[in-house]
């Protein structure tokens, strides 16, 4: 399966035939190639074009990690996990997860904008290349990584034919008249040193000015700066001159917007620009036209994001704007406005998570992640804002838990809670969210410490809501420990408190589902079913899907218990679809294992074994070892016994190995595929072929955490 997160739009690439050929040759010879060059020379575009070509020719996997927006070196590994689509709930260091994931894959990883993080990137790339023979790294930046085996391609500015072609194409795209191939046009390309960004900035002015007028203005700009460039490389000065010249050609309002836009990290949308940049000197109602002006001049580019169309300012252009913002003495105020917007966005997303807009919330959070990180960074920089760091890290619980970012969530929560703050409510929220995250990571010690601290401090401060959340999560711990009476007691207390306080959201409904699980595991399947039907109705009424998926899981278990296998499958298909959408790995693996049990009941023991094999690496990534719970482990143990009985150990292992070779996406695709019928009561059919990027691994021989109880209400829910 070909996978890529490269930008879909690469047709803005012009020329560079010789450089493309040289880069292709280097990629064939070396596993680490770094494209170097001054800002604006086209490093990123060349790297992305080469990566797209590699993928087209080989059908291999290509992934892009954009590192320019990062400021915290500790987030580099998290950013790579994000780029690779990895969801890992374990306590393992992200580097270990990356090594394991890449060790047996063929993949081209593109690192863009790493130069300010070389000290963090170089050892990471070295370790990944050493552990993953099938990995090739293509880096684009202004500094080499300086590790053994690195091949470097220094990208020179465009030659004259390519520069002329780029200028003509961009000018036409901006609506300028066709450019003649004459002396003034060639002189303009020469004066701009063939630097693509400088040429694009010039092209953006050609609808308003002639080439001769541009040359005259550019000559003035060079003379102005000619005496103060001592120690600066000529082409660095050329680009700076071109950007400064573009700056002078902007209206005062466009210049001010340019400066203020420099506070954004990564993509941004119009609403964010209107709030953050609007105000003194820039009325909000005029922002759209000003942004359009910067867009027309190639100072801002349009970009597709998971949440829809957005905008981005190139790093070189943003850096120039940041200098002007500092000169205006407005940097700190604008960073705070930026932080306030993204705190507001996080608050909106938390509220809208309990609504029909859950999928939109997940997409907006994904698109806003670089800016949310920047907001968290600022909160952590300023001692007086410690409570804001705690509040923001806690408010984003849905991004950490619901969207598969536990490791990064733990990073921010630990840092925020290490700070002193007199705002108890913010600390309490961060504490119970940390307890939730660490439960799912399998770190019981940290979870107990955080939840006990939250409950005791909540009692002292008489914060009943925080106490209820802490009690709720303690009930989860009891559930995962198979202590069902204790789980029922704690979850019941929390739900009573939620009801008295008028609290209703996804967490509250999840508490009801967890209570249903405790009762199902304790033998009261009728009560569990009634609870989950009620939860499903509320979810349907509110448009909530994430918690609904877990209610569907319990109802599917009940249907399986009644031998209603078609109903169980239908419920599990919806459950799995939702959990995969939200990158909820726990929900995915639970659904896959119960689907395997349904498959063996339908007579397809081969497919059951394949799904069981696929579930094993998921559990490794979950890190909870099936929660250490005999009840949650029940479907796996029961299914394995029945599948081995139907197939024999050798055929079971063959199908199991096939499943182990599937990626997460491939497993979900296979599990959701329309079935044409089982292979017979003994599973006589051969495993269905499925192309995978992961070679099979010999299945481990793990002892079950507990014995299956069979049908009758006490198997896993």
């Amino acid at each position: 399966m070909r996978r890529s997160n490269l930008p879909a739009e690469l047709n803005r690439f012009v020329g560079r035939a010789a450089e493309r050929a040289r880069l292709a040759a280097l990629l064939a010879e070396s596993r680490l190639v770094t494209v170097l060059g001054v800002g604006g020379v086209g490093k990123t575009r060349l790297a992305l074009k080469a990566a797209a070509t590699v993928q087209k020719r080989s059908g291999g996997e290509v992934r892009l990690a954009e590192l320019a927006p990062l400021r915290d070196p500790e987030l580099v590994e998290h950013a790579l996990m994000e780029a690779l689509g990895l969801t890992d709930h374990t306590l393992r260091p992200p580097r270990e997860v990356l090594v394991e994931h890449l060790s047996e894959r063929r993949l081209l990883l593109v690192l863009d904008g790493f130069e300010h993080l070389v000290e963090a990137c170089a050892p990471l790339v070295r370790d990944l290349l050493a552990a993953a023979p099938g990995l090739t790294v293509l880096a684009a930046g202004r500094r080499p990584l300086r590790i053994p085996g690195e091949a470097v391609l220094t990208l020179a500015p465009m030659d004259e034919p390519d520069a002329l072609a780029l200028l003509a194409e961009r000018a036409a795209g901006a609506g300028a008249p066709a450019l003649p191939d004459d002396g003034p046009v060639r002189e303009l390309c020469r004066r701009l040193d063939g630097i693509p960004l400088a040429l694009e900035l010039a092209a953006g002015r050609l609808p308003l000015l002639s080439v001769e007028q541009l040359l005259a203005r550019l000559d003035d700009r060079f003379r102005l700066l000619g005496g103060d460039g001592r120690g600066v490389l000529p082409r660095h000065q050329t680009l700076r001159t071109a950007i400064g010249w573009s700056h002078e050609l902007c209206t005062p309002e466009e210049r001010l917007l340019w400066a203020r836009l420099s506070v954004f990290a990564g993509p941004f949308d119009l609403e964010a620009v209107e709030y953050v940049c609007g105000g003194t000197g820039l009325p909000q109602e005029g922002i759209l036209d000003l942004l359009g002006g910067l867009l027309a001049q190639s100072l801002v580019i349009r970009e597709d994001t998971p949440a829809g169309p957005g905008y981005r300012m190139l790093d070189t252009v943003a850096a120039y704007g940041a200098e002007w913002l500092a000169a205006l003495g407005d940097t700190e105020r604008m960073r705070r406005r930026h932080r306030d917007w993204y705190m507001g966005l996080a608050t909106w997303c938390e509220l809208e998570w309990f609504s029909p807009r859950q999928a939109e919330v997940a997409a907006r959070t994904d698109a806003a992640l670089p800016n949310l990180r920047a907001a968290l960074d600022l909160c952590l920089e300023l001692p007086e804002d410690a409570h804001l760091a705690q509040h923001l890290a806690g408010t984003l619980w849905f991004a950490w838990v619901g969207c598969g970012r536990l490791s990064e969530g733990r990073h921010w929560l630990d840092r925020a809670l290490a700070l002193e703050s007199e705002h108890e409510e913010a600390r309490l929220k961060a504490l119970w969210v940390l307890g939730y995250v660490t439960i799912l990571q399998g770190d019981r010690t940290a979870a107990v410490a955080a939840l006990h601290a939250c409950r005791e401090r909540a009692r002292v401060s008489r914060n009943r809501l925080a106490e209820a959340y802490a009690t709720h999560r303690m009930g989860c711990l009891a559930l995962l420990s198979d202590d069902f009476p204790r789980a029922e007691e704690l979850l019941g207390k929390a739900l009573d408190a939620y009801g008295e306080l008028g609290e209703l959201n996804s967490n509250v409904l999840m508490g009801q589902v967890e209570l249903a699980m405790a009762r199902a595991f304790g033998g009261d399947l009728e009560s569990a079913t009634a609870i989950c039907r009620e939860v499903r109705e509320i979810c349907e009424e509110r448009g909530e899907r994430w918690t609904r998926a877990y209610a569907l899981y319990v109802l599917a278990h009940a249907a399986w218990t009644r031998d209603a296998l078609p109903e169980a499958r239908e419920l599990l298909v919806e459950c799995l679809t939702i959990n995969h959408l939200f990158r909820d790995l726990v929900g995915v693996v639970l659904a896959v294992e119960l689907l395997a049990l349904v498959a063996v009941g339908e007579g397809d023991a081969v497919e059951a074994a394949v799904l069981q094999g696929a579930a094993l690496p998921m559990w490794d990534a979950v890190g909870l070892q099936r929660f250490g719970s005999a009840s949650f482990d029940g479907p796996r143990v029961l299914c394995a016994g029945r599948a081995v009985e139907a197939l024999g150990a050798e055929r079971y292992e063959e199908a199991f190995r096939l499943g182990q070779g599937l990626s997460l996406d491939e497993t979900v695709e296979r599990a959701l595929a329309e079935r044409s019928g089982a292979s017979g009561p003994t599973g006589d059919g051969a495993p269905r072929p499925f192309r995978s990027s992961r070679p099979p691994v010999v299945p481990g021989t793990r002892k079950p955490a507990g014995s299956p109880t069979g049908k009758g209400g006490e198997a896993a829910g």
Side-chain angles (χ1 to χ4, degrees):
M1 179 181 293
R2 290 165 48 180
R3 291 189 294 278
S4 171
N5 63 341
L6 297 179
E9 184 60 56
L10 287 172
N11 61 7
R12 286 172 59 84
F13 194 89
V14 173
R16 300 285 199 189
E19 289 89 345
R20 279 183 283 168
R22 177 62 181 146
L23 183 52
L26 288 175
L27 285 170
E29 298 167 358
S30 176
R31 295 176 55 219
L32 171 60
V33 180
T34 302
V35 181
L36 298 180
V38 299
V41 80
K43 302 179 296 295
T44 297
R45 285 182 184 165
L46 180 64
L48 295 181
K49 184 66 176 179
T53 301
V54 167
Q55 185 185 35
K56 184 177 180 180
R57 289 178 179 172
S58 69
E61 186 173 359
V62 178
R63 292 287 178 167
L64 166 66
E66 297 183 273
L67 303 182
L70 295 184
R71 293 295 172 264
D72 183 352
E74 293 184 22
L75 288 178
V76 171
E77 293 168 0
H78 293 286
L80 260 61
M81 289 183 62
E82 188 82 14
L84 293 169
L86 287 180
T87 302
D88 189 273
H89 292 351
T90 69
L91 292 171
R92 295 179 298 170
R95 183 169 307 198
E96 182 180 327
V97 176
L98 289 166
V99 165
E100 180 182 290
H101 175 78
L102 294 170
S103 61
E104 295 174 335
R105 280 177 164 77
R106 287 186 61 253
L107 179 139
L108 174 62
L109 175 62
V110 182
L111 298 181
D112 185 37
F114 65 86
E115 54 268 2
H116 60 302
L117 299 165
V118 165
E119 289 73 17
C121 287
L124 174 60
V125 170
R126 182 194 61 218
D127 290 352
L128 294 180
L129 288 171
L135 174 66
T136 299
V137 175
L138 173 56
R142 302 182 193 182
R143 300 167 57 189
L145 288 164
R146 300 192 187 281
I147 59 179
E150 180 179 26
V152 173
L153 172 64
T154 300
L155 188 59
M158 285 182 156
D159 57 21
E160 185 176 274
D162 281 348
L164 288 168
L166 177 65
L167 182 66
E169 181 182 288
R170 299 299 188 263
L179 294 182
D181 183 2
D182 60 8
V185 174
R186 291 177 180 275
E187 176 65 10
L188 180 59
C189 292
R190 186 186 67 78
R191 295 304 307 271
L192 293 175
D193 274 343
I195 297 176
L197 177 56
L199 292 164
E200 292 200 22
L201 295 176
R205 283 296 170 182
L206 286 172
L208 301 175
L209 300 173
S210 69
V211 173
E212 289 77 10
Q213 288 173 315
L214 281 179
L215 278 170
R217 290 171 180 262
L218 189 59
D219 284 340
D220 290 342
R221 181 71 188 180
F222 269 114
R223 280 194 293 272
L224 178 65
L225 295 182
D228 63 1
R230 198 171 292 173
V232 179
L233 293 175
R235 287 189 176 112
H236 281 281
Q237 187 168 328
T238 297
L239 179 61
R240 184 172 178 80
T241 298
I243 294 176
W245 160 67
S246 293
H247 188 263
E248 290 176 0
L249 293 175
C250 289
T251 66
E253 292 80 9
E254 287 174 339
R255 294 178 201 166
L256 186 56
L257 178 58
W258 179 348
R260 292 179 179 179
L261 286 174
S262 68
V263 299
F264 287 98
F268 47 82
D269 58 29
L270 178 61
E271 286 181 309
V273 175
E274 288 176 335
Y275 176 87
V276 175
C277 301
T280 307
L282 288 181
Q284 280 194 0
E285 58 272 17
I287 292 289
L288 178 59
D289 289 339
L290 293 173
L291 187 62
L294 296 180
L295 190 68
Q297 300 169 62
S298 296
L299 294 165
V300 171
I301 58 175
R302 186 176 280 109
E303 179 175 285
D304 289 331
T305 76
Y311 306 93
R312 181 194 291 268
M313 185 169 276
L314 295 176
D315 297 336
T316 310
V317 176
Y320 192 93
E323 292 179 13
W324 276 91
L325 192 62
L328 294 170
D330 207 19
T331 301
E332 209 57 45
R333 184 182 74 90
M334 291 307 302
R335 289 187 72 196
R336 289 179 182 273
R337 283 185 67 83
H338 173 275
R339 176 206 61 198
D340 292 346
W341 170 262
Y342 284 98
M343 288 193 69
L345 177 65
T347 300
W348 177 87
C349 285
E350 182 186 32
L351 292 171
E352 292 301 305
W353 184 257
F354 186 53
S355 81
R357 287 174 288 279
Q358 265 186 341
E360 178 189 342
V361 167
R364 290 199 68 174
T365 304
D366 190 16
L369 192 58
N371 285 296
L372 289 167
R373 287 168 174 161
L376 283 161
D377 274 330
L378 179 61
C379 293
L380 291 166
E381 279 179 26
L382 306 173
E384 67 271 22
D385 286 349
H387 64 292
L388 298 180
Q390 292 163 1
H391 174 77
L392 182 53
T395 296
L396 287 168
W397 67 266
F398 60 91
W400 316 139
V401 174
C403 299
R405 297 188 179 94
L406 292 182
S407 182
E408 181 168 348
R410 176 80 178 267
H411 168 83
W412 293 114
L413 289 161
D414 281 341
R415 289 186 64 191
L417 286 167
L419 302 177
E420 294 298 325
S421 165
E422 296 180 359
H423 295 256
E424 190 69 359
E425 186 172 347
R427 177 172 290 276
L428 291 174
K429 184 167 189 176
L431 278 170
W432 74 253
V433 173
L434 177 62
Y436 194 3
V437 166
T438 49
I439 286 172
L440 294 176
Q441 285 188 307
D443 190 348
R444 292 171 183 265
T445 301
V448 168
L451 294 173
H452 275 287
C454 181
R455 188 169 66 173
E456 295 309 311
R457 295 179 73 123
R459 286 173 175 171
V460 171
S461 61
R462 298 182 180 179
N463 188 323
R464 291 189 62 206
L465 186 58
E467 183 182 353
Y469 276 110
T471 302
H472 174 176
R473 296 305 161 198
M474 288 177 178
C476 292
L477 274 174
L479 173 64
L480 299 178
S481 303
D482 288 341
D483 187 350
F484 306 131
R486 178 68 172 159
E488 283 198 56
E489 176 191 352
L490 292 170
L491 291 167
K493 285 182 179 179
L495 290 168
D496 287 344
Y498 291 147
E500 293 170 10
L501 296 168
E503 185 84 346
L504 181 62
N505 54 35
S506 298
N507 274 306
V508 173
L509 293 179
M510 189 66 80
Q512 290 184 258
V513 173
E514 289 155 350
L515 176 62
M517 288 180 174
R519 291 187 177 171
F521 296 159
D524 189 356
L525 196 59
E526 183 178 349
S527 174
T529 301
I531 292 172
C532 286
R533 283 175 176 161
E534 179 184 349
V535 169
R536 181 169 64 174
E537 288 176 6
I538 297 173
C539 289
E540 288 173 350
E541 178 184 328
R542 298 298 187 108
E544 210 280 355
R545 300 177 68 190
W546 178 62
T547 306
R548 171 186 168 88
Y550 283 88
L552 293 173
Y553 173 80
V554 178
L555 293 172
H557 163 65
W560 168 80
T561 304
R562 300 192 312 271
D563 273 329
L565 299 184
E567 178 186 350
R569 176 171 291 280
E570 182 179 354
L571 291 165
L572 287 168
V573 163
E574 184 179 357
C575 169
L576 180 57
T577 301
I578 296 170
N579 283 320
H580 187 235
L581 171 69
F582 291 118
R583 298 173 58 187
D584 187 330
L585 196 57
V586 172
V588 167
V589 70
L590 289 175
V592 166
E593 288 207 323
L594 194 51
L595 269 170
L597 188 55
V598 170
V600 80
E602 293 170 330
D604 197 345
V606 170
E607 190 64 14
V610 171
L611 293 178
Q612 285 208 300
L616 183 61
M618 290 189 217
W619 278 117
D620 291 339
V622 168
L624 291 175
Q625 299 301 318
R626 300 175 186 84
F627 310 114
S629 163
S631 298
F632 279 102
D633 205 25
R636 182 189 68 87
V637 176
L638 183 60
C639 182
R642 293 182 177 181
V644 169
E645 182 180 356
L647 299 173
E650 185 175 343
R651 292 185 61 214
Y652 174 81
E653 183 173 312
E654 177 190 356
F656 190 94
R657 283 179 178 170
L658 177 62
Q660 279 189 291
L662 300 179
S663 69
L664 174 62
D665 290 345
E666 290 165 343
T667 298
V668 173
E669 182 180 344
R670 181 170 188 131
L672 297 180
E674 186 175 349
R675 303 177 74 248
S676 58
S679 57
T682 59
D684 291 333
R688 290 188 280 123
F690 200 97
R691 186 179 178 189
S692 169
S693 61
R694 178 169 180 163
V697 180
V698 176
T701 54
R702 299 184 180 181
K703 294 182 179 180
S707 300
T709 58
K711 298 186 179 181
E714 297 182 357

